[in-house]
Amino acid sequence: MRLWTLQLALLVLAACERREPPAGGDSRAPPSAAVAASKAEASEAPAPSRIIVHVDVEPLHLNPLAQPDEWGARIALGPIYQPLARLGADGRLGPSGLTTRVDEAQDGLSYTFELRAGARWHDGQPLGPGDVAATFERVIDPRGGLDALRRDLRDFHRIEIVGEQTLRLRFHRRNAFLPAVLAELPILPRAQVAWSGKGRAPDLARQPLARRPVGSGPYRFESWERGKQIVLRRDPGYSGVAAGIETVVFAFERDGARALASLRRGELDVF
């Protein structure tokens, strides 16, 4: 599932309107991303304004924290919601669309993140360290209903807000798998993950925003027509690298033969 998520992210983000070189050179960029970017730059053909992607099983919801199914994760994680960092080919963390700087302590027990200035949620609300803190607090709380993620973060110690847009994550012990966990943990708005603290937290998969997500990624949710399609639209206010494709349509079709016929008729772009 992680490989497909990466491939989908490369597909919709490779042809960009503007590019930003990663801090300290491009040594942390995954080779596949670098190849996709250089191919997009070398090609004189304009990026399509819309692509239609075949989806064989309609997702149950689009909340990437709440144990999404395969297509729920592919659609939500990356295009709509973002993690604090991305994992480079060398296994180290580098900035994501949410951040401009990621520093790992020499002892591997803390990571410092600088959030991107001007980052906002798709509803226009500012994105800040408080949203990150609320996301991690929900994950690590035994009453939060996110047991699988909580196990992944079992070494988490605390989060410190050390500046207006700067935060630090501290851990009890070094963990070789931690960079991969942080690179796949989406940050959600505080209003989505916070609760009163009384009893067990509400099921995130059953909340309205699980079907009308409000994220911070390069694509904002536009519509979900049950049994037919999900439509994402490029977010004009995105503070990171703008996506080159305006609209991505995820079209549902369980029958592989019918989907293949649609591809041959030019009604699908990705099968």
Side-chain angles (χ1 to χ4, degrees):
M1 183 172 71
R2 294 175 180 177
L3 177 61
W4 273 101
T5 302
L6 173 62
Q7 289 173 337
L8 181 59
L10 291 176
L11 172 68
V12 299
L13 298 178
C16 296
E17 292 180 338
R18 54 190 176 89
R19 299 191 179 278
E20 300 175 15
D26 58 2
S27 60
R28 292 185 179 182
S32 53
V35 170
S38 58
K39 283 183 178 179
E41 289 173 339
S43 173
E44 296 182 0
S49 62
R50 164 176 157 152
I51 62 169
I52 303 176
V53 180
H54 169 236
V55 173
D56 57 350
V57 179
E58 183 174 2
L60 295 174
H61 64 82
L62 294 177
N63 189 316
L65 278 183
Q67 294 185 319
D69 51 30
E70 187 172 15
W71 272 107
R74 293 183 193 178
I75 296 170
L77 183 55
I80 301 176
Y81 292 100
Q82 302 176 99
L84 284 173
R86 59 180 175 81
L87 190 64
D90 59 359
R92 300 180 61 194
L93 291 176
S96 69
L98 272 185
T99 52
T100 57
R101 180 172 62 90
V102 179
D103 293 329
E104 178 183 358
Q106 288 188 347
D107 59 10
L109 297 180
S110 70
Y111 292 85
T112 302
F113 302 88
E114 185 80 27
L115 296 177
R116 189 177 295 275
R120 291 186 174 273
W121 300 105
H122 294 154
D123 61 3
Q125 294 299 310
L127 188 157
D131 298 294
V132 181
T135 298
F136 275 83
E137 289 165 2
R138 177 64 181 265
V139 170
I140 65 173
D141 194 315
R143 303 166 301 167
L146 303 174
D147 295 339
L149 287 173
R150 184 164 60 89
R151 286 192 294 271
D152 289 340
L153 286 175
R154 58 188 175 275
D155 296 322
F156 179 81
H157 178 34
R158 68 177 184 268
I159 185 169
E160 301 170 353
I161 298 176
V162 296
E164 185 177 351
Q165 289 293 96
T166 308
L167 57 99
R168 182 173 297 123
L169 301 178
R170 294 193 179 273
F171 299 86
H172 291 293
R173 59 186 62 85
R174 194 166 194 154
N175 185 330
F177 299 103
L178 186 58
V181 172
L182 294 177
E184 292 194 354
L185 182 67
I187 303 303
L188 271 65
R190 176 166 37 190
Q192 287 192 35
V193 293
W195 89 101
S196 66
K198 297 179 180 179
R200 193 166 178 84
D203 185 353
L204 289 174
R206 296 180 180 275
Q207 294 183 339
L209 287 173
R211 289 161 182 79
R212 293 193 61 84
V214 176
S216 63
Y219 286 92
R220 64 171 62 196
F221 173 86
E222 180 168 287
S223 64
W224 187 340
E225 189 175 344
R226 285 290 181 178
K228 185 177 180 182
Q229 64 185 24
I230 289 173
V231 179
L232 306 184
R233 186 84 64 182
R234 181 173 57 201
D235 179 22
Y238 182 57
S239 59
V241 179
I245 298 171
E246 173 71 26
T247 305
V248 183
V249 178
F250 297 91
F252 312 140
E253 178 53 75
R254 298 187 66 93
D255 189 300
R258 284 204 293 260
L260 184 57
S262 296
L263 179 70
R264 288 170 174 164
R265 291 195 299 269
E267 297 169 359
L268 290 174
D269 300 299
V270 181
F271 177 76

